Amino acid sequence: MVAGTPPYYCFTVLTGDFDDDGWPDLYVACDSTPSMLFHNNHDGTFTERAVAAGVAYNEDGREQAGMGTDAADYDGDGWLDIVKTNFSDDTSTLYHNNHDGTFSDVTFSAGLGKNTQFLGWGTLFLDIDNDGWPDLFIANGHVYPEVDGRGLNTPFRERKVLYWNEHNGKFSDISLNAGPGIVATFPVQRRSPTVRAQRIEAQRQPQLGSIVSAIGDELGEFAVGHRPRSRVHPVAHQFPPGSAAQAPPRWPFRR
């Protein structure tokens, strides 16, 4: 049972064992209101504790217009971390799990604070190069066609963003080198380009990809790496400075 919560504008619900107690919790990305984290009480009920956990606001204590969200252990410490996309003129938000029921906003220190022009929707942690480390994909697109032709920094049709995991708690934005499957935008549509990202993994084709689709339109776009390889699942890797594994991948994604 979940009760006693304010009437927030909720967008995406994420399930995960965020405190590693063996019970699934709930995280809810909210628009223009604090996001919510429901701790599982192990008795069929949940307690909302996002403020205490540090995932209700960004590091400035500001409410954000949360849209999409996903979770993964991006730094190999064994604990789930949370990413949340937001409306334009803001960054996406990356919350690092502190292993004690709280999180820290590491958006800027992790390299996700450079992009503020996108209106983020669906987002996924996925290992695009099969190096055992979760990378980060974000689908973008504005809701107002009127933003075009107004001299604004945000167009109606927006490209995707792809961050490569540097294996040290930081990400590199490799979007512009990732091929047309990432940098190409959707064609003009009849309706708002509300987008979602969906993880796929073919049983006999062990390559990871992402589907970006426009809700309400018969339109889709498929981005997938060219180089299928056997998947590996190490908890963490250690690479010596200057090794090839530290360089961002430059192989393209196709549409």
Side-chain angles (χ1 to χ4, degrees), residues 2 20 22 26 28 41 61 66 68 72 94 98 103 117 143 148 152 160 170 183 188 200 215 233 248:
V2 176
D20 201 31
L26 300 172
V28 185
N41 297 325
L94 181 62
N98 296 328
F103 292 77
Q117 70 271 35
V143 296
D148 286 341
L152 302 176
K160 283 75 68 183
K170 300 180 184 298
V183 299
V188 175
I200 62 171
I215 310 303
H233 301 272

PDB file of all heavy atoms in Angstrom, residues 2 20 22 26 28 41 61 66 68 72 94 98 103 117 143 148 152 160 170 183 188 200 215 233 248:
ATOM      1  N   VAL A   2       0.531   2.198  -0.868  1.00  0.00           N
ATOM      2  CA  VAL A   2       1.186   3.496  -0.906  1.00  0.00           C
ATOM      3  C   VAL A   2       0.118   4.545  -0.653  1.00  0.00           C
ATOM      4  O   VAL A   2      -0.825   4.677  -1.423  1.00  0.00           O
ATOM      5  CB  VAL A   2       1.866   3.739  -2.272  1.00  0.00           C
ATOM      6  CG1 VAL A   2       2.460   5.138  -2.323  1.00  0.00           C
ATOM      7  CG2 VAL A   2       2.941   2.693  -2.525  1.00  0.00           C
ATOM      8  N   ASP A  20      19.596  -2.481  -1.092  1.00  0.00           N
ATOM      9  CA  ASP A  20      20.225  -3.800  -1.058  1.00  0.00           C
ATOM     10  C   ASP A  20      19.753  -4.649   0.123  1.00  0.00           C
ATOM     11  O   ASP A  20      20.529  -5.384   0.727  1.00  0.00           O
ATOM     12  CB  ASP A  20      21.746  -3.661  -1.012  1.00  0.00           C
ATOM     13  CG  ASP A  20      22.458  -4.928  -1.480  1.00  0.00           C
ATOM     14  OD1 ASP A  20      21.896  -5.635  -2.333  1.00  0.00           O
ATOM     15  OD2 ASP A  20      23.560  -5.217  -0.977  1.00  0.00           O
ATOM     16  N   GLY A  22      17.132  -6.759  -0.323  1.00  0.00           N
ATOM     17  CA  GLY A  22      16.445  -7.899  -0.904  1.00  0.00           C
ATOM     18  C   GLY A  22      14.991  -7.646  -1.249  1.00  0.00           C
ATOM     19  O   GLY A  22      14.316  -8.561  -1.723  1.00  0.00           O
ATOM     20  N   LEU A  26      10.545   1.598  -4.984  1.00  0.00           N
ATOM     21  CA  LEU A  26       9.984   2.313  -6.131  1.00  0.00           C
ATOM     22  C   LEU A  26      10.536   3.730  -6.175  1.00  0.00           C
ATOM     23  O   LEU A  26      10.542   4.433  -5.158  1.00  0.00           O
ATOM     24  CB  LEU A  26       8.456   2.389  -6.038  1.00  0.00           C
ATOM     25  CG  LEU A  26       7.668   1.083  -6.002  1.00  0.00           C
ATOM     26  CD1 LEU A  26       6.202   1.368  -5.716  1.00  0.00           C
ATOM     27  CD2 LEU A  26       7.800   0.354  -7.338  1.00  0.00           C
ATOM     28  N   VAL A  28       9.992   7.337  -8.445  1.00  0.00           N
ATOM     29  CA  VAL A  28       9.066   7.969  -9.377  1.00  0.00           C
ATOM     30  C   VAL A  28       9.625   9.327  -9.796  1.00  0.00           C
ATOM     31  O   VAL A  28       9.836  10.209  -8.949  1.00  0.00           O
ATOM     32  CB  VAL A  28       7.666   8.160  -8.755  1.00  0.00           C
ATOM     33  CG1 VAL A  28       6.696   8.699  -9.803  1.00  0.00           C
ATOM     34  CG2 VAL A  28       7.150   6.850  -8.165  1.00  0.00           C
ATOM     35  N   ASN A  41       8.672  -1.635   3.016  1.00  0.00           N
ATOM     36  CA  ASN A  41       8.660  -1.933   4.451  1.00  0.00           C
ATOM     37  C   ASN A  41       8.619  -3.423   4.758  1.00  0.00           C
ATOM     38  O   ASN A  41       8.520  -3.815   5.929  1.00  0.00           O
ATOM     39  CB  ASN A  41       7.460  -1.250   5.114  1.00  0.00           C
ATOM     40  CG  ASN A  41       7.535   0.260   5.017  1.00  0.00           C
ATOM     41  OD1 ASN A  41       8.609   0.847   5.081  1.00  0.00           O
ATOM     42  ND2 ASN A  41       6.370   0.895   4.847  1.00  0.00           N
ATOM     43  N   GLY A  61      19.013  21.731  -4.451  1.00  0.00           N
ATOM     44  CA  GLY A  61      17.765  21.729  -3.700  1.00  0.00           C
ATOM     45  C   GLY A  61      16.582  22.192  -4.520  1.00  0.00           C
ATOM     46  O   GLY A  61      15.575  22.655  -3.959  1.00  0.00           O
ATOM     47  N   GLY A  66      11.121  16.161 -14.009  1.00  0.00           N
ATOM     48  CA  GLY A  66      11.557  14.806 -14.311  1.00  0.00           C
ATOM     49  C   GLY A  66      10.695  14.142 -15.364  1.00  0.00           C
ATOM     50  O   GLY A  66       9.473  14.298 -15.377  1.00  0.00           O
ATOM     51  N   GLY A  68      12.073  10.766 -17.746  1.00  0.00           N
ATOM     52  CA  GLY A  68      12.400   9.342 -17.749  1.00  0.00           C
ATOM     53  C   GLY A  68      13.405   8.999 -16.672  1.00  0.00           C
ATOM     54  O   GLY A  68      14.068   9.871 -16.111  1.00  0.00           O
ATOM     55  N   ALA A  72      21.131   1.467 -12.670  1.00  0.00           N
ATOM     56  CA  ALA A  72      22.164   0.459 -12.902  1.00  0.00           C
ATOM     57  C   ALA A  72      23.321   0.759 -11.969  1.00  0.00           C
ATOM     58  O   ALA A  72      23.432   1.858 -11.410  1.00  0.00           O
ATOM     59  CB  ALA A  72      22.636   0.465 -14.353  1.00  0.00           C
ATOM     60  N   LEU A  94      22.137  12.526 -12.273  1.00  0.00           N
ATOM     61  CA  LEU A  94      22.696  11.219 -11.918  1.00  0.00           C
ATOM     62  C   LEU A  94      22.888  11.166 -10.409  1.00  0.00           C
ATOM     63  O   LEU A  94      23.615  11.989  -9.836  1.00  0.00           O
ATOM     64  CB  LEU A  94      24.034  10.990 -12.622  1.00  0.00           C
ATOM     65  CG  LEU A  94      24.722   9.652 -12.359  1.00  0.00           C
ATOM     66  CD1 LEU A  94      23.860   8.490 -12.855  1.00  0.00           C
ATOM     67  CD2 LEU A  94      26.104   9.612 -13.014  1.00  0.00           C
ATOM     68  N   ASN A  98      25.009   5.844  -2.041  1.00  0.00           N
ATOM     69  CA  ASN A  98      26.001   5.966  -0.966  1.00  0.00           C
ATOM     70  C   ASN A  98      26.081   4.737  -0.065  1.00  0.00           C
ATOM     71  O   ASN A  98      26.799   4.754   0.944  1.00  0.00           O
ATOM     72  CB  ASN A  98      25.701   7.197  -0.114  1.00  0.00           C
ATOM     73  CG  ASN A  98      25.825   8.487  -0.896  1.00  0.00           C
ATOM     74  OD1 ASN A  98      26.639   8.601  -1.810  1.00  0.00           O
ATOM     75  ND2 ASN A  98      24.994   9.474  -0.554  1.00  0.00           N
ATOM     76  N   PHE A 103      21.617   8.985  -1.441  1.00  0.00           N
ATOM     77  CA  PHE A 103      22.256   9.179  -2.734  1.00  0.00           C
ATOM     78  C   PHE A 103      22.891  10.565  -2.782  1.00  0.00           C
ATOM     79  O   PHE A 103      22.473  11.474  -2.068  1.00  0.00           O
ATOM     80  CB  PHE A 103      21.229   9.065  -3.865  1.00  0.00           C
ATOM     81  CG  PHE A 103      20.649   7.695  -4.066  1.00  0.00           C
ATOM     82  CD1 PHE A 103      19.664   7.219  -3.207  1.00  0.00           C
ATOM     83  CD2 PHE A 103      21.059   6.883  -5.109  1.00  0.00           C
ATOM     84  CE1 PHE A 103      19.113   5.961  -3.379  1.00  0.00           C
ATOM     85  CE2 PHE A 103      20.516   5.618  -5.296  1.00  0.00           C
ATOM     86  CZ  PHE A 103      19.535   5.160  -4.422  1.00  0.00           C
ATOM     87  N   GLN A 117      20.451  21.705 -23.352  1.00  0.00           N
ATOM     88  CA  GLN A 117      19.549  22.138 -24.413  1.00  0.00           C
ATOM     89  C   GLN A 117      18.503  21.099 -24.769  1.00  0.00           C
ATOM     90  O   GLN A 117      17.563  21.412 -25.506  1.00  0.00           O
ATOM     91  CB  GLN A 117      20.348  22.498 -25.673  1.00  0.00           C
ATOM     92  CG  GLN A 117      20.977  21.306 -26.392  1.00  0.00           C
ATOM     93  CD  GLN A 117      22.356  20.955 -25.895  1.00  0.00           C
ATOM     94  OE1 GLN A 117      22.646  21.079 -24.716  1.00  0.00           O
ATOM     95  NE2 GLN A 117      23.226  20.521 -26.811  1.00  0.00           N
ATOM     96  N   VAL A 143       8.199  19.178 -26.889  1.00  0.00           N
ATOM     97  CA  VAL A 143       6.753  18.979 -26.967  1.00  0.00           C
ATOM     98  C   VAL A 143       6.051  20.113 -27.704  1.00  0.00           C
ATOM     99  O   VAL A 143       4.865  20.006 -28.020  1.00  0.00           O
ATOM    100  CB  VAL A 143       6.136  18.827 -25.558  1.00  0.00           C
ATOM    101  CG1 VAL A 143       6.653  17.583 -24.884  1.00  0.00           C
ATOM    102  CG2 VAL A 143       6.420  20.052 -24.695  1.00  0.00           C
ATOM    103  N   ASP A 148      10.574  26.078 -32.870  1.00  0.00           N
ATOM    104  CA  ASP A 148      11.337  26.271 -34.094  1.00  0.00           C
ATOM    105  C   ASP A 148      11.105  27.671 -34.641  1.00  0.00           C
ATOM    106  O   ASP A 148       9.992  28.205 -34.604  1.00  0.00           O
ATOM    107  CB  ASP A 148      10.945  25.238 -35.150  1.00  0.00           C
ATOM    108  CG  ASP A 148      11.497  23.862 -34.851  1.00  0.00           C
ATOM    109  OD1 ASP A 148      12.451  23.772 -34.055  1.00  0.00           O
ATOM    110  OD2 ASP A 148      10.985  22.873 -35.411  1.00  0.00           O
ATOM    111  N   LEU A 152      15.644  30.055 -30.405  1.00  0.00           N
ATOM    112  CA  LEU A 152      15.926  29.430 -29.127  1.00  0.00           C
ATOM    113  C   LEU A 152      17.021  28.378 -29.279  1.00  0.00           C
ATOM    114  O   LEU A 152      17.342  27.941 -30.387  1.00  0.00           O
ATOM    115  CB  LEU A 152      14.655  28.789 -28.561  1.00  0.00           C
ATOM    116  CG  LEU A 152      13.467  29.739 -28.361  1.00  0.00           C
ATOM    117  CD1 LEU A 152      12.241  28.964 -27.880  1.00  0.00           C
ATOM    118  CD2 LEU A 152      13.810  30.852 -27.381  1.00  0.00           C
ATOM    119  N   LYS A 160      19.517  12.192 -30.252  1.00  0.00           N
ATOM    120  CA  LYS A 160      19.743  11.433 -29.028  1.00  0.00           C
ATOM    121  C   LYS A 160      21.094  11.809 -28.413  1.00  0.00           C
ATOM    122  O   LYS A 160      21.907  12.456 -29.055  1.00  0.00           O
ATOM    123  CB  LYS A 160      19.709   9.933 -29.311  1.00  0.00           C
ATOM    124  CG  LYS A 160      18.314   9.357 -29.486  1.00  0.00           C
ATOM    125  CD  LYS A 160      17.695   9.712 -30.823  1.00  0.00           C
ATOM    126  CE  LYS A 160      18.369   9.055 -31.990  1.00  0.00           C
ATOM    127  NZ  LYS A 160      17.794   9.456 -33.299  1.00  0.00           N
ATOM    128  N   LYS A 170      33.007   8.348 -14.349  1.00  0.00           N
ATOM    129  CA  LYS A 170      32.720   9.458 -15.248  1.00  0.00           C
ATOM    130  C   LYS A 170      32.256   8.940 -16.606  1.00  0.00           C
ATOM    131  O   LYS A 170      32.514   7.787 -16.972  1.00  0.00           O
ATOM    132  CB  LYS A 170      33.963  10.337 -15.429  1.00  0.00           C
ATOM    133  CG  LYS A 170      34.496  10.949 -14.135  1.00  0.00           C
ATOM    134  CD  LYS A 170      35.717  11.796 -14.407  1.00  0.00           C
ATOM    135  CE  LYS A 170      36.317  12.336 -13.108  1.00  0.00           C
ATOM    136  NZ  LYS A 170      35.351  13.214 -12.397  1.00  0.00           N
ATOM    137  N   VAL A 183      22.734  10.725 -34.020  1.00  0.00           N
ATOM    138  CA  VAL A 183      22.665  12.159 -34.302  1.00  0.00           C
ATOM    139  C   VAL A 183      21.478  12.543 -35.172  1.00  0.00           C
ATOM    140  O   VAL A 183      21.067  13.713 -35.182  1.00  0.00           O
ATOM    141  CB  VAL A 183      23.972  12.645 -34.966  1.00  0.00           C
ATOM    142  CG1 VAL A 183      25.141  12.423 -34.038  1.00  0.00           C
ATOM    143  CG2 VAL A 183      24.210  11.946 -36.297  1.00  0.00           C
ATOM    144  N   VAL A 188       9.554  15.203 -39.564  1.00  0.00           N
ATOM    145  CA  VAL A 188       8.442  16.006 -39.068  1.00  0.00           C
ATOM    146  C   VAL A 188       7.237  15.105 -38.854  1.00  0.00           C
ATOM    147  O   VAL A 188       6.894  14.277 -39.699  1.00  0.00           O
ATOM    148  CB  VAL A 188       8.091  17.125 -40.069  1.00  0.00           C
ATOM    149  CG1 VAL A 188       6.853  17.886 -39.610  1.00  0.00           C
ATOM    150  CG2 VAL A 188       9.272  18.073 -40.205  1.00  0.00           C
ATOM    151  N   ILE A 200      16.615  -3.819 -25.850  1.00  0.00           N
ATOM    152  CA  ILE A 200      16.365  -5.098 -26.498  1.00  0.00           C
ATOM    153  C   ILE A 200      17.648  -5.906 -26.485  1.00  0.00           C
ATOM    154  O   ILE A 200      18.742  -5.382 -26.520  1.00  0.00           O
ATOM    155  CB  ILE A 200      15.867  -4.929 -27.945  1.00  0.00           C
ATOM    156  CG1 ILE A 200      16.942  -4.224 -28.796  1.00  0.00           C
ATOM    157  CG2 ILE A 200      14.565  -4.178 -28.007  1.00  0.00           C
ATOM    158  CD1 ILE A 200      16.603  -4.223 -30.261  1.00  0.00           C
ATOM    159  N   ILE A 215       5.532   8.023 -29.763  1.00  0.00           N
ATOM    160  CA  ILE A 215       4.240   7.547 -29.294  1.00  0.00           C
ATOM    161  C   ILE A 215       3.141   8.204 -30.116  1.00  0.00           C
ATOM    162  O   ILE A 215       3.120   9.415 -30.308  1.00  0.00           O
ATOM    163  CB  ILE A 215       4.042   7.881 -27.810  1.00  0.00           C
ATOM    164  CG1 ILE A 215       5.258   7.433 -27.007  1.00  0.00           C
ATOM    165  CG2 ILE A 215       2.771   7.252 -27.265  1.00  0.00           C
ATOM    166  CD1 ILE A 215       5.582   5.977 -27.146  1.00  0.00           C
ATOM    167  N   HIS A 233      29.972 -10.088 -18.216  1.00  0.00           N
ATOM    168  CA  HIS A 233      29.287  -9.457 -17.102  1.00  0.00           C
ATOM    169  C   HIS A 233      30.189  -9.327 -15.880  1.00  0.00           C
ATOM    170  O   HIS A 233      29.837  -9.760 -14.793  1.00  0.00           O
ATOM    171  CB  HIS A 233      28.039 -10.262 -16.716  1.00  0.00           C
ATOM    172  CG  HIS A 233      27.047 -10.393 -17.835  1.00  0.00           C
ATOM    173  ND1 HIS A 233      26.057  -9.464 -18.077  1.00  0.00           N
ATOM    174  CD2 HIS A 233      26.907 -11.342 -18.799  1.00  0.00           C
ATOM    175  CE1 HIS A 233      25.332  -9.832 -19.120  1.00  0.00           C
ATOM    176  NE2 HIS A 233      25.832 -10.958 -19.575  1.00  0.00           N
ATOM    177  N   PRO A 248      37.229   6.274 -25.696  1.00  0.00           N
ATOM    178  CA  PRO A 248      35.827   6.104 -26.083  1.00  0.00           C
ATOM    179  C   PRO A 248      35.715   5.405 -27.419  1.00  0.00           C
ATOM    180  O   PRO A 248      36.545   5.620 -28.315  1.00  0.00           O
ATOM    181  CB  PRO A 248      35.309   7.551 -26.178  1.00  0.00           C
ATOM    182  CG  PRO A 248      36.270   8.363 -25.381  1.00  0.00           C
ATOM    183  CD  PRO A 248      37.590   7.666 -25.514  1.00  0.00           C
TER     184      PRO A 248
END
